[in-house]
């Protein structure tokens, strides 16, 4: 039996996506920039997908720019806006951003920009008052992750965005983990820029979008990829028509299933939390209940390294992930867990379990049993970690 519980890393492309992409690759492979029939058909596919993706977040389709995924969208938001300015200014991010925001912020800092990293509480939430106090006259962008990939915590995005709107500062959110799990309405919420990635909701890897509202358009972020001027000049390069088509159908189906899947996954998630609650050494991290992504569980173990637990579960046929990263041969603790106030050891011992469309009650019960058995076996061995 194999159980994939790492949907936060990537999701398998759903059959409708594979069918759509296969059909497009077989018969609609024209270059969308070409003026002939083949090109026009590809353009129509792209524009239909733009409508589908826009609908998922209730956006004006004009605001959707297709990119190669979440990382490019985040880079485009941060560096694209920064390149508007002749002199370095100020940006604000949270202390628990994904590296696709964290590293561009570091890059800007190395180039003279001032960067404020807002602290979070032990659940991983930013305090809106801290944001309000951090805005300076030269703050040009605030970027706060909508739902955190390692700990599943959902931020008070509406409050944070409203503070930015009141201060006339652009607000970007990396919604890569939130899209398809949480209702996001960019017209009702004060969001100026938003990053999306298709492979987190059953599209394919290598395709995503940056949403820009008219306010962000007016401050014209500068393109990162120069060339033929596709995507209205924001993103040059021949579009991956098949991937965009798959993205569109994945978005349409995610919108249809959003509420039913969220309820189903929340029940499964809570079932697994309950089944593991009798292991005192396995301590949940991040937020609880409604402030947590419906498919997301995270823990640290008091004794065992997260990577060791991932390996042990892998031997049992179960795929999960750890929060620690391997850098230059050394195990780096999760910077997110450190920002939440956990020790280096706790941060190295973190794991994440993320459920998905294929997850059943049987998978949950099997996984809980496997975790119990693995920990009992490790506990009975003298060498720990
Ligand atoms: C929160 C978050 N932002 C950005 C990314 C990067 O997205 P992509 O893999 O599409 O570049 C990820 C991927 O794990 C993510 O979880």
């Amino acid at each position: 039996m194999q159980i994939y519980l790492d949907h936060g890393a990537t999701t398998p492309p759903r059959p409708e996506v594979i069918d759509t992409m296969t059909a497009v690759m077989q018969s609609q492979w024209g270059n969308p920039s070409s003026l002939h029939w083949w090109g026009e058909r590809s353009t129509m596919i792209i524009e239909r997908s733009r409508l589908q993706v826009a609908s998922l977040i209730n956006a004006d389709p004009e605001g959707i720019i297709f990119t190669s995924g979440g990382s490019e969208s985040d880079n485009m938001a941060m560096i694209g806006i920064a390149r508007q300015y002749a002199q370095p200014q100020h940006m604000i991010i949270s202390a628990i951003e994904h590296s696709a925001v964290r590293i561009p912020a570091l890059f800007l800092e190395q180039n003279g920009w001032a960067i404020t990293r807002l602290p979070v509480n032990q659940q991983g939430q930013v305090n809106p008052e801290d944001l309000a106090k951090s805005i300076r006259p030269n703050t040009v962008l605030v970027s706060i992750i909508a739902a955190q990939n390692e700990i599943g915590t959902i931020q008070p995005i509406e409050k944070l965005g409203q503070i930015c709107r009141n201060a006339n500062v652009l607000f970007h959110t990396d919604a890569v983990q939130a899209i398809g799990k949480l209702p996001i309405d960019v017209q009702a919420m004060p969001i100026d820029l938003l990053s999306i990635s298709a492979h987190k909701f059953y599209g394919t890897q290598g395709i995503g979008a940056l949403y820009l509202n008219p306010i962000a358009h007016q401050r014209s972020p500068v393109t990162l990829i120069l060339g033929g001027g596709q995507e209205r000049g924001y993103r040059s390069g021949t579009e991956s028509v098949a991937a965009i088509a798959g993205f569109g159908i994945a978005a349409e189906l995610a919108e249809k299933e959003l509420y039913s899947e969220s309820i189903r996954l929340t029940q499964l998630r809570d079932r697994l939390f309950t089944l593991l609650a009798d292991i005192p050494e396995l301590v949940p991290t991040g937020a609880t209940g409604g402030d947590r992504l419906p498919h997301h569980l995270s823990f640290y173990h008091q004794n065992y390294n997260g990577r060791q637990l991932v390996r042990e579960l892998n031997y049992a046929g179960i795929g999960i992930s750890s929060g620690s990263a391997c850098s230059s041969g050394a195990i780096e603790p999760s910077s997110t867990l450190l920002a939440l106030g956990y020790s280096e050891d706790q941060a190295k011992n973190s794991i994440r379990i993320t459920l998905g469309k294929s997850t059943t009650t049987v998978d949950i019960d099997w996984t809980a049993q496997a975790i119990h058995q693995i920990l009992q076996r490790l506990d009975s061995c003298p060498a720990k970690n």
Side-chain angles (χ1 to χ4, degrees):
M1 183 154 175
Q2 275 201 315
I3 304 175
Y4 181 74
L5 295 178
D6 199 12
H7 294 82
T10 198
T11 55
R14 55 191 300 163
E16 298 90 335
V17 167
I18 296 172
D19 290 349
T20 302
M21 290 180 66
T22 307
V24 169
M25 282 190 283
Q26 278 169 343
S27 60
Q28 291 159 3
W29 35 260
N31 185 328
S33 298
S34 302
L35 295 179
H36 44 61
W37 182 81
W38 291 267
E40 276 178 4
R41 289 207 328 158
S42 289
T43 300
M44 279 166 58
I45 291 168
I46 291 177
E47 294 317 314
R48 190 185 54 203
S49 295
R50 205 183 303 280
L51 290 172
Q52 290 165 313
V53 172
S55 173
L56 177 59
I57 56 169
N58 193 28
D60 178 347
E62 288 276 297
I64 300 292
I65 312 293
F66 288 118
T67 66
S68 66
S71 301
E72 186 184 328
S73 301
D74 287 345
N75 274 261
M76 197 165 150
M78 309 272 300
I79 301 189
I81 291 287
R83 286 187 54 204
Q84 260 296 310
Y85 295 86
Q87 297 300 323
Q89 309 286 327
H90 175 235
M91 280 192 192
I92 301 173
I93 63 171
S94 79
I96 56 166
E97 293 302 314
H98 186 273
S99 50
V101 165
R102 190 161 36 86
I103 304 298
L106 193 61
F107 170 80
L108 291 173
E109 196 167 45
Q110 286 160 350
N111 283 276
W113 280 69
I115 304 289
T116 300
R117 294 170 181 83
L118 294 175
V120 291
N121 62 21
Q122 239 211 345
Q123 279 70 50
Q125 280 188 323
V126 168
N127 181 345
E129 282 175 21
D130 288 345
L131 171 60
K133 281 191 232 143
S134 304
I135 293 179
R136 304 178 190 170
N138 70 339
T139 308
V140 298
L141 183 79
V142 172
S143 179
I144 310 281
I145 191 164
Q148 217 280 340
N149 40 300
E150 282 177 59
I151 51 168
T153 300
I154 300 166
Q155 296 295 335
I157 286 299
E158 298 200 55
K159 281 191 191 151
L160 300 170
Q162 195 55 51
I163 290 167
C164 295
R165 187 111 344 142
N166 296 345
N168 195 25
V169 172
L170 285 179
F171 180 64
H172 166 248
T173 185
D174 173 342
V176 165
Q177 293 287 342
I179 296 291
K181 317 285 181 321
L182 306 176
I184 302 271
D185 179 337
V186 292
Q187 302 206 42
M189 298 163 102
I191 295 172
D192 300 314
L193 304 100
L194 176 140
S195 301
I196 313 178
S197 178
H199 75 100
K200 305 294 181 176
F201 54 93
Y202 310 97
T204 52
Q205 294 146 358
I207 188 73
L210 179 67
Y211 161 75
L212 300 171
N213 73 359
I215 309 172
H217 268 298
Q218 272 165 20
R219 312 231 177 130
S220 356
V222 177
T223 178
L224 303 185
I225 304 180
L226 302 164
Q230 286 88 345
E231 292 296 286
R232 280 176 294 133
Y234 277 115
R235 208 271 181 177
S236 290
T238 304
E239 298 89 337
S240 175
V241 185
I244 290 175
F247 185 14
I249 192 81
E252 185 182 311
L253 295 169
E255 186 179 349
K256 274 196 192 133
E257 296 168 2
L258 186 76
Y259 288 98
S260 57
E261 254 317 82
S262 290
I263 292 168
R264 194 184 75 85
L265 290 171
T266 302
Q267 285 165 354
L268 290 176
R269 177 199 72 185
D270 291 344
R271 182 181 181 96
L272 188 50
F273 267 132
T274 306
L275 289 172
L276 298 175
D278 61 346
I279 309 175
E281 298 84 7
L282 201 57
V283 183
T285 55
T288 50
D291 288 336
R292 182 173 197 103
L293 283 169
H295 68 312
H296 193 292
L297 301 93
S298 56
F299 305 88
Y300 74 86
H301 193 278
Q302 280 170 359
N303 303 322
Y304 304 118
N305 185 279
R307 295 166 75 86
Q308 182 184 3
L309 296 176
V310 170
R311 271 196 302 271
E312 292 286 349
L313 276 153
N314 185 42
Y315 297 141
I318 299 168
I320 65 158
S321 68
S322 78
S324 59
C326 191
S327 161
S328 319
I331 307 295
E332 296 290 331
S334 148
S335 61
T336 299
L337 272 266
L338 293 181
L340 262 63
Y342 291 103
S343 70
E344 284 218 359
D345 278 343
Q346 290 167 334
K348 279 184 186 171
N349 292 1
S350 61
I351 55 166
R352 174 185 75 175
I353 302 175
T354 39
L355 321 181
K357 273 183 70 57
S358 61
T359 313
T360 62
T361 310
V362 174
D363 295 340
I364 294 298
D365 294 355
W366 184 274
T367 301
Q369 201 184 9
I371 292 175
H372 276 97
Q373 284 170 355
I374 287 167
L375 292 176
Q376 273 162 18
R377 181 166 48 74
L378 292 176
D379 285 343
S380 63
C381 298
K384 288 192 173 171
N385 274 318

